[in-house]
Structure formats: structure tokens, C-alpha cells
Amino acid sequence: MSDLEKYCYNTNRDMLDVETSWWETDNEMAFELHKHEQAQSLIDNGFLDESGEMIDCVKYSINEYGFRTHKMDNLELGGVMVLGDSISFGLGNPVDHMWVTKLEKEIDKKVYNLSAPGGSHCAAKRIFDSWYDTLQPSCVIFVEPPVARTEFWQENIQTWSRVGPWNLIHFTEYAPLIDNDEKNENRANAVREGFKEICDRDGVKLITDQTTDFFSEHWDYNNWRAKLKANLQRGRDLAHPGEDYQNELFNRIYANYVL
């Protein structure tokens, strides 16, 4: 495997170029637990029928670089490059519920969703730097993750490792990487400014949006799993927002796209 900077976090060959029913927080073990503890939420959100059987509507088509998007062997230049985290990746959501899918149906361009679950501004920059010249996009859409995240190269397993508040419960040695608000914001600003400089230089449309409204209102970093308000529509993993929120993102981004 070469050019690892081009990859999403999971660089295990067994998890590349696959179609699977489960991915990361949206896993079978968690679903079985939710069936007993939060069955009504799964029923209300369309993932469990009244008899307790799973409604099999979520599939993850993961390409050869670990992204939930088109294969990268026959690229369509001048398309749309999307950068983001698990929300834009669509964790817990059927493909048709994802804002990137809705966008691609509305525009006459291919949308390459290079979002990385648990991603950070640093991850977005790494992926942008690796793919921008190859894709030659006409538009870059960056749905920003919270700034209190970063990543580092883990040599022993040859992959990029994510660092975020979820690590701090058990791995306090990572705290210095993300526990300074000013450094976090400066790091994020540097990425934003870098994207803008390159896109302005090349006449590429840049759209930025933030999911911080979702995280600040609904996310609890003191638990290993996100706790969402009971009345919020959720994805199958119950840890990410469902189609209503995906629609909100689509409406905002599409409005900026057509301006």
C-alpha cells in the first residue's frame, strides 16, 4: 500500500473496497444492545420493525481508499470535493439520507465524499492536499468538525490515528494535543485560510459549513458514546443525527452552491 496520506483512517486492506452493513459506531454489537435498551428509538427512526427485526436499509460501500464514495479509478475531473467527519460520512444513515447524495442528485456533477469519521481539520488538510490536484474540483465543500480534534501518524501500525475528546476518558496522554482552546482554534484557522488561498488562486468555489451547532447542543463528551436528545431523529447507531439533520445540511449547502 502506498501514498497512505490519501487514505481514510482504516488502512486495513480487508476494510477497503467492500460493501458492508456495519461501520465503526454503527456496529452489530451496539445495535443488539440498542434493541433491548432503546428499541423505541430504533422503531421511530425506521431501523427496527415492531416485531424486533432489523430493517436492513443501511449499507456502506467503502472504496479502495476507505471513503464512502465513488471508486477513484475513473475520476471525473471538475466535480465536487467534500471534506468532513462522521456526519458527512453518513454514519448510521442509509445512502439516500446523506446530504452528499441529495446534493449529487441536484447538480450535474459527481460528488466525491472524502469525509473521515472522527476527522479533524488536520485530517481534512491531509486529504485535501492528497486529492486536490488529482480531482481538480470545481467546488470544495468543507463541513467542519469540532476544533478539539487532531491526528497523528502511528508508525507501528502504519495508519493515521484520530485524537478527540473521546480519547481523554482512558488515554490522558493525548490531552496535550487538544486541551488548549487557543491552539485548537489557531490550527483550525490555518486550515481554513489554506483552503481559501488555494481555492481563490484557482477560481474554485469554496463552501464551508459547521456541525458545531449540532455538537454543542446535543453532544456529551463525558461519555464514550454520544448522547442525543430523545426527540432528535437519529441514525441507526443512535450516536449520529438522522435524515432531518442531513436535510438541514443539504439545504444550507445547496443554497450556497447555487449562489
Side-chain angles (χ1 to χ4, degrees):
M1 190 177 296
S2 61
D3 295 330
L4 285 171
E5 290 190 350
K6 291 184 176 182
Y7 284 76
C8 198
Y9 289 112
N10 192 334
T11 54
N12 182 337
R13 285 186 182 274
D14 294 336
M15 301 303 291
L16 299 176
D17 199 13
V18 298
E19 183 168 294
T20 176
S21 295
W22 309 103
W23 198 259
E24 298 218 344
T25 59
D26 187 23
N27 58 75
E28 195 168 8
M29 184 181 299
F31 185 82
E32 288 299 314
L33 182 65
H34 296 329
K35 276 177 59 174
H36 301 287
E37 293 185 350
Q38 301 187 59
Q40 194 57 53
S41 291
L42 291 171
I43 293 171
D44 291 345
N45 292 305
F47 302 110
L48 193 68
D49 65 24
E50 295 288 347
S51 68
E53 292 297 317
M54 183 181 76
I55 298 172
D56 189 16
C57 59
V58 181
K59 296 291 183 184
Y60 296 96
S61 294
I62 307 300
N63 77 4
E64 64 270 41
Y65 289 93
F67 299 108
R68 193 184 187 187
T69 193
H70 307 287
K71 291 183 179 295
M72 313 294 270
D73 57 353
N74 188 22
L75 296 173
E76 179 181 300
L77 303 184
V80 176
M81 172 192 279
V82 172
L83 303 163
D85 60 7
S86 55
I87 290 181
S88 292
F89 183 91
L91 265 179
N93 285 271
V95 171
D96 287 346
H97 290 188
M98 295 164 55
W99 74 261
V100 291
T101 305
K102 298 172 188 288
L103 178 66
E104 190 170 71
K105 288 179 178 178
E106 291 293 328
I107 65 175
D108 188 27
K109 292 182 184 295
K110 189 162 283 189
V111 177
Y112 292 96
N113 184 9
L114 306 187
S115 299
S120 59
H121 286 73
C122 291
K125 181 183 186 304
R126 168 174 60 84
I127 294 166
F128 176 92
D129 290 347
S130 298
W131 284 103
Y132 179 81
D133 287 342
T134 303
L135 288 175
Q136 299 178 35
S138 59
C139 178
V140 174
I141 302 174
F142 181 29
V143 182
E144 296 189 37
V147 298
R149 296 181 183 179
T150 190
E151 66 173 10
F152 65 95
W153 175 250
Q154 199 162 351
E155 184 67 30
N156 60 326
I157 57 174
Q158 291 286 290
T159 192
W160 295 93
S161 290
R162 300 159 283 190
V163 179
W166 55 83
N167 293 106
L168 306 188
I169 302 165
H170 302 296
F171 304 104
T172 54
E173 65 267 29
Y174 295 125
L177 296 173
I178 59 171
D179 67 355
N180 184 296
D181 291 342
E182 183 177 358
K183 287 183 179 178
N184 291 340
E185 193 58 49
N186 287 342
R187 185 168 57 227
N189 278 334
V191 172
R192 295 176 187 122
E193 290 168 5
F195 287 172
K196 184 176 186 304
E197 180 179 350
I198 292 172
C199 289
D200 284 352
R201 178 198 69 192
D202 297 339
V204 172
K205 187 178 184 69
L206 174 64
I207 299 171
T208 59
D209 201 291
Q210 293 183 320
T211 57
T212 50
D213 56 339
F214 164 75
F215 283 103
S216 61
E217 184 178 356
H218 304 295
W219 201 273
D220 176 9
Y221 280 132
N222 295 318
N223 195 302
W224 78 275
R225 179 174 291 279
K227 291 182 175 178
L228 305 186
K229 290 185 175 180
N231 62 351
L232 183 73
Q233 186 192 46
R234 289 174 273 182
R236 186 175 65 180
D237 63 346
L238 304 186
H240 290 86
E243 188 177 18
D244 286 351
Y245 192 80
Q246 293 283 335
N247 278 331
E248 286 182 34
L249 269 177
F250 163 74
N251 288 332
R252 292 202 303 263
I253 290 167
Y254 183 68
N256 281 314
Y257 184 86
V258 298
L259 281 178

